Amino acid sequence: DTLRADHLSIHGYDRETSPRIDRLMGNGAIFDQARTVEPLTAPALISMLTSLDPHEHGASRNGLRMRAGLSSLPKALEKAGYETAAILGNWTLRDRLTDLGEHFQEYDLVLNRRRWFGLVRGEATAEDLNQRTLEYLENRGSSGGRKPLFLWVHYVEPHAPYRLWRDDADAIGLPEKNLTKLDRYDSEIRFVDRQIGELLDRLDDGNHLRNPIIVFTSDHGESLGEHNYWGHGRHLYEPGLHIPMSITWNGRIKPMRLPAPALNTDLAPTLLDLAGVAPPAAMQGRSLTPLLEDHPTAWRDDFFYEHRFEHDRIPPSEGVRTERY
């Protein structure tokens, strides 16, 4: 959650915030010009799963439910014989706020922490999510005779209010005192990077998944003082739109870096394509598989994004990006 691309080492950041993420992304296809269609959690993630723009699926702000009966990536995979599970740690993804639970056989929110200065009980740390994920996988039993699995794990970090993780701050050379908000944001990235590494190690050591396709991405980025603005969701600035995105599949997708403009709405048709499942006709994104397979193809030269969040007299706005503008 809230991870901007240019604060990862693999995207050229001068702090070593993401050694395990770098290793994961570097083993697959990295989309250097990936963007979110809206820089806000629930709209962006519902767009990722449905391959629809927010004004099409209806959940254009946090707290607005998506339209009932929509097709989605997990629904299409369930129909094709997959188990589907979501293990999440952000209160904005509650089923009663999103109706996302309709799309998963297992929809598990871990909301056991008070993150916002002790005032709100509604999030989980990456450690909590790892524990719940491994419990879920253990409960599935041995690999013999199991259905294939689609599993979505959504970590909260590095979402505000940025917590200082001292060991991780030390690992990237941050000072003992007088740390800035940007410093704490980077320590959160290093913390969740370490937890992602531990989860991947446990998956490798266990008998849970066989050569999985792994997508790594973020719902949106974060403005860290640019344009005199901290946060996300109120503006269509580049720090909030540019997200990391990679697809790893050992032996099937070769390591590469792709400059083609990709959107989070492209992930659902891409994964269905890789799984041999026809994407529902309603999906608006495009499968990235021709790029992954190095096939010459005409690709988009512009794309659309939006925000519908009205606050402090900031009106909703829309944007179009091209190669030049």
Side-chain angles (χ1 to χ4, degrees):
D1 203 307
T2 319
L3 176 61
R4 53 189 275 177
D6 64 356
H7 273 243
L8 295 179
S9 320
I10 200 163
H11 282 292
Y13 195 46
D14 56 3
R15 288 175 173 170
E16 195 179 1
T17 52
S18 53
R20 291 304 304 268
I21 292 170
D22 294 351
R23 190 190 313 173
L24 171 65
M25 296 181 75
N27 285 331
I30 300 171
F31 295 90
D32 284 320
Q33 297 300 321
R35 302 297 190 289
T36 184
V37 293
E38 181 168 355
L40 199 59
T41 296
L45 294 173
I46 293 171
S47 288
M48 179 184 75
L49 294 168
T50 62
S51 191
L52 295 173
D53 288 326
H55 69 275
E56 296 285 351
H57 60 60
S60 55
R61 299 196 309 270
N62 288 336
L64 285 184
R65 297 178 181 179
M66 62 192 296
R67 292 180 7 235
L70 294 176
S71 57
S72 68
L73 170 62
K75 274 188 176 180
L77 289 173
E78 180 182 354
K79 188 175 180 180
Y82 280 69
E83 292 181 28
T84 62
I87 299 174
L88 319 169
N90 188 324
W91 68 270
T92 61
L93 300 176
R94 285 177 172 146
D95 182 41
R96 66 179 177 82
L97 298 178
T98 62
D99 281 344
L100 267 173
E102 171 196 332
H103 293 259
F104 290 87
Q105 293 165 301
E106 177 85 12
Y107 194 74
D108 190 359
L109 266 78
V110 185
L111 304 177
N112 59 341
R113 302 278 181 171
R114 298 179 185 272
R115 183 176 175 86
W116 287 90
F117 310 108
L119 301 178
V120 177
R121 184 182 181 87
E123 292 180 342
T125 69
E127 289 176 308
D128 300 328
L129 290 171
N130 279 0
Q131 180 179 348
R132 186 65 62 87
T133 299
L134 291 165
E135 288 171 356
Y136 167 77
L137 292 171
E138 291 288 348
N139 288 336
R140 293 182 76 225
S142 63
S143 60
R146 286 189 317 210
K147 293 181 178 180
L149 171 67
F150 172 69
L151 173 64
W152 172 32
V153 181
H154 182 73
Y155 297 100
V156 176
E157 297 89 3
H159 197 292
Y162 321 122
R163 175 177 173 179
L164 176 65
W165 297 90
R166 187 66 258 175
D167 290 346
D168 300 290
D170 292 341
I172 55 178
L174 297 180
E176 287 289 331
K177 298 179 179 179
N178 301 320
L179 280 85
T180 66
K181 287 196 289 186
L182 187 151
D183 291 334
R184 294 197 298 273
Y185 177 83
D186 285 347
S187 84
E188 288 232 68
I189 297 174
R190 181 68 182 231
F191 166 74
V192 75
D193 176 86
R194 179 162 51 87
Q195 298 302 322
I196 288 171
E198 290 189 10
L199 180 61
L200 292 174
D201 288 344
R202 293 288 299 276
L203 295 180
D204 285 341
D205 293 342
N207 190 26
H208 301 301
L209 303 174
R210 298 180 191 165
N211 194 20
I213 302 170
I214 301 177
V215 172
F216 176 80
T217 193
S218 176
D219 51 354
H220 52 74
E222 182 84 327
S223 288
L224 298 171
E226 298 90 353
H227 306 95
N228 295 313
Y229 174 56
W230 288 82
H232 57 270
R234 301 181 188 179
H235 302 281
L236 295 178
Y237 294 143
E238 179 71 354
L241 295 168
H242 189 193
I243 56 173
M245 183 190 295
S246 68
I247 304 176
T248 304
W249 193 7
N250 291 335
R252 298 292 295 271
I253 296 175
K254 66 181 181 181
M256 64 181 89
R257 299 193 76 134
L258 294 162
L263 291 169
N264 53 354
T265 49
D266 296 330
L267 286 172
T270 301
L271 287 174
L272 291 172
D273 215 358
L274 293 174
V277 178
M283 289 188 170
Q284 297 173 331
R286 295 183 60 182
S287 174
L288 299 159
T289 51
L291 303 176
L292 299 175
E293 296 167 355
D294 212 15
H295 292 163
T297 184
W299 195 248
R300 68 167 63 91
D301 53 16
D302 57 56
F303 56 85
F304 168 88
Y305 38 75
E306 61 185 285
H307 91 84
R308 306 280 168 174
F309 185 70
E310 296 185 62
H311 185 80
D312 294 342
R313 298 179 298 279
I314 299 170
S317 60
E318 300 168 344
V320 174
R321 184 183 183 93
T322 68
E323 185 177 355
R324 184 175 180 184
Y325 297 106

